[in-house]
Each structure stands twice: as structure tokens, then as C-alpha cells.
Amino acid sequence: MAVLTEGTVRFLDAGASAPKVIAFERTLGDARLVTVCSFDENGCRVDGIDLADMEMRIGNYDDAALPGEDGALALRPFEAVVFTSGC
């Protein structure tokens, strides 16, 4: 997956309700990878990151978070999730 090693990196705004979340994307051609990591000991809600048509690849919980109907991502304490498209 070349996007992981060669893609352009851009940090994303996780929204005001997720101050302890780091999110970034890597893009290479049509391939896109989005990583969202919570460093919060409480759950939080990530808004404003476009995850439409993306596939969840890996997470550190057995049942990794998926975007809700409104597109927001509800993360549990210290949860990290990686999504891809076009890979």
C-alpha cells in the first residue's frame, strides 16, 4: 500500500468535542488513508472528517468505531482507527 509510505500527509481537524484526538490523512493518486487516534481517557465524538465510502482497515478495539448516520465517529478511550479508500 504505497499511500502509507509515499502519500502526502495532511493533519485533519477532529472538531471541538475531540481536543485530545490526532487525525491525519495520506493521499497518493486516488488512494486515501485516514488515521484517527484518541489520547483521551474518556470517549469523544469526532466531527468534520469525511469518511464516506471509506473502509475500516484496523482498530485497537475488536469492534472498531464506524461513522454514524451523521458522519461523526464516536471513539472510546484511547481508541485508534484507520480507514482507506482507493487502495
Side-chain angles (χ1 to χ4, degrees):
M1 194 178 315
V3 68
L4 187 58
T5 57
E6 300 171 22
T8 301
V9 177
R10 180 173 71 103
F11 284 89
L12 305 172
D13 183 2
S17 62
K20 295 181 179 179
V21 170
I22 293 176
F24 65 91
E25 73 175 355
R26 294 191 74 125
T27 55
L28 182 65
D30 291 335
R32 182 173 177 234
L33 178 138
V34 174
T35 302
V36 184
C37 302
S38 173
F39 293 91
D40 198 329
E41 62 190 16
N42 301 302
C44 63
R45 180 180 166 88
V46 176
D47 294 311
I49 297 176
D50 180 14
L51 298 172
D53 301 321
M54 298 196 77
E55 177 183 352
M56 194 280 295
R57 288 292 187 156
I58 192 168
N60 64 328
Y61 279 77
D62 289 336
D63 56 339
L66 297 173
E69 289 182 16
D70 61 356
L73 191 61
L75 294 178
R76 292 164 283 194
F78 305 106
E79 186 167 11
V81 189
V82 177
F83 297 89
T84 61
S85 67
C87 297

